[in-house]
């Protein structure tokens, strides 16, 4: 499950997994960034999760590899909450580069999206994160890049791609759509 920061993909995931649990279907939800952050924190590389996107590329790559290897050992129905791409000071970085995809072998990649102005407002109201404040044009560019890179992920793995819109006041619709994909 992917999406730009502020699209509230984790909120959609939480709702969908709760819905599936009511139907007797269980998934283990893993957060790729959390795996990376815990490793980086243990190594003394960062103290804040949002610092990771500003780390040197080699350090980020190493954290991605460690996270993918750890997640690949998990069994059962696995849902990974992550970003299709990460905006760094040097440009977009693939969130699921080839070496990560090789480890994870996803069946489906879900892109959660919504209008850029809604994402901007969500970011502005989120006091729990240290986000770069971008305009709606930059958010639109990031979502477009995610669509493009998801297509390349599909070509590398043969997985399907699903788009889900998580618009304001329509969370239930996004939850139902994700639950249908996972069920």
């Amino acid at each position: 499950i992917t999406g730009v920061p502020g699209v509230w993909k984790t909120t959609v995931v939480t709702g969908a997994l709760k819905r599936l649990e009511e139907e007797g279907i269980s998934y283990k939800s893993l957060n790729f960034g959390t795996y990376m952050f815990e490793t980086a924190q243990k190594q003394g590389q960062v103290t804040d999760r949002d610092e990771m996107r500003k780390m040197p590329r080699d350090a980020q790559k190493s954290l991605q590899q460690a996270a993918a290897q750890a997640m690949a050992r998990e069994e059962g129905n696995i849902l990974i909450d992550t970003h299709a791409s990460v905006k760094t000071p040097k440009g977009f970085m693939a969130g699921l580069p080839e070496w990560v995809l090789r480890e994870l072998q996803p069946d489906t990649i879900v892109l959660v999206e919504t209008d850029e102005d809604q994402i901007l407002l969500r970011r502005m109201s989120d006091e729990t994160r240290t986000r770069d404040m971008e305009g709606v044009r930059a958010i639109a560019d990031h979502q477009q890049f995610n669509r493009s890179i998801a297509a390349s992920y599909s070509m590398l793995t043969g997985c399907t791609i699903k788009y889900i819109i998580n618009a304001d006041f329509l969370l239930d619709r996004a939850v139902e759509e994700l639950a249908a994909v996972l069920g």
Side-chain angles (χ1 to χ4, degrees):
I1 307 296
T2 68
V4 299
V7 77
W8 291 355
K9 67 187 173 322
T10 304
T11 303
V12 175
V13 166
T14 300
L17 294 184
K18 182 178 178 185
R19 188 76 35 90
L20 289 170
E21 196 172 283
E22 292 167 359
E23 297 174 19
I25 302 170
S26 64
Y27 270 83
K28 186 181 291 187
S29 180
L30 308 175
N31 187 292
F32 202 87
T34 299
Y35 273 69
M36 289 177 62
F37 176 61
E38 289 172 354
T39 301
Q41 199 173 30
K42 285 176 189 170
Q43 295 173 353
Q45 296 178 343
V46 297
T47 57
D48 180 281
R49 181 184 183 107
D50 294 301
E51 292 176 294
M52 289 190 302
R53 63 188 152 80
K54 297 178 181 176
M55 292 174 64
R57 178 69 187 111
D58 288 342
Q60 290 180 15
K61 180 178 175 180
S62 175
L63 292 173
Q64 285 177 321
Q65 288 174 321
Q69 289 167 353
M71 290 178 163
R73 290 189 291 270
E74 296 287 344
E75 294 185 15
N77 291 329
I78 305 295
L79 181 144
I80 298 175
D81 181 338
T82 191
H83 294 284
S85 65
V86 177
K87 189 169 186 181
T88 73
K90 293 186 177 185
F92 291 113
M93 178 181 77
L96 299 167
E98 182 271 335
W99 57 87
V100 169
L101 290 169
R102 189 175 345 117
E103 292 286 345
L104 300 178
Q105 289 300 307
D107 296 317
T108 301
I109 293 177
V110 177
L111 287 169
V112 179
E113 299 183 339
T114 197
D115 294 332
E116 293 81 15
D117 57 341
Q118 291 179 22
I119 293 170
L120 180 60
L121 289 172
R122 291 171 186 178
R123 287 180 182 180
M124 291 171 63
S125 66
D126 184 358
E127 296 177 3
T128 66
R129 300 294 298 272
T130 307
R131 302 201 190 273
D132 294 335
M133 283 302 143
E134 307 174 295
V136 293
R137 181 67 198 164
I139 295 169
D141 289 346
H142 196 168
Q143 287 196 124
Q144 180 58 47
F145 185 78
N146 280 351
R147 290 179 199 118
S148 300
I149 203 161
S152 65
Y153 295 162
S154 177
M155 290 183 65
L156 286 170
T157 65
C159 70
T160 58
I161 304 294
K162 174 70 175 169
Y163 296 100
I164 294 178
I165 303 300
N166 183 27
D168 284 349
F169 311 109
L170 297 173
L171 174 61
D172 287 343
R173 182 183 293 167
V175 165
E176 288 299 329
E177 207 171 335
L178 179 56
V181 169
L182 297 174

